[in-house]
Amino acid sequence: MNKNSMGLTFAFLFSFAHLVWSILIASGMGQVVVDFLYNLHRISVPITVLPFDLILAGQLVVLTFVVGYIFGWLMAFFWNKCCK
């Protein structure tokens, strides 16, 4: 398994999910989504989605890209060590 390819795959997957979340917050739908998901799980916790901040959204997407790459790279590394 190619470590770089797996790292990039996870990086794009993680960062895309958080980009979608940032778009939901920017569009005003973040609180609706959170309320819906918590209600599905029958959980009642007072959570408030804060207003959209472009800088924080960018940091979130970049950080999850880096974490996703590391996670994917490590997964491929261990897969190659254990399962070849």
Side-chain angles (χ1 to χ4, degrees):
M1 186 178 297
N2 184 295
K3 294 185 290 280
N4 188 53
S5 293
M6 188 58 66
L8 288 173
T9 299
F10 274 81
F12 283 115
L13 179 66
F14 285 18
S15 63
F16 179 74
H18 287 84
L19 176 64
V20 170
W21 173 244
S22 294
I23 292 169
L24 285 171
I25 293 173
S27 70
M29 293 298 295
Q31 189 68 52
V32 173
V33 171
V34 167
D35 291 343
F36 174 73
L37 291 175
Y38 275 88
N39 188 45
L40 278 179
H41 290 89
R42 306 302 302 148
I43 298 172
S44 177
V45 179
I47 292 179
T48 303
V49 176
L50 298 176
F52 180 74
D53 182 325
L54 184 60
I55 301 297
L56 287 177
Q59 290 173 341
L60 176 67
V61 172
V62 169
L63 179 65
T64 54
F65 185 89
V66 171
V67 169
Y69 184 86
I70 292 168
F71 184 80
W73 192 96
L74 287 171
M75 190 185 94
F77 174 80
F78 287 117
W79 179 273
N80 290 338
K81 293 292 183 193
C82 299
C83 303
K84 268 192 169 179

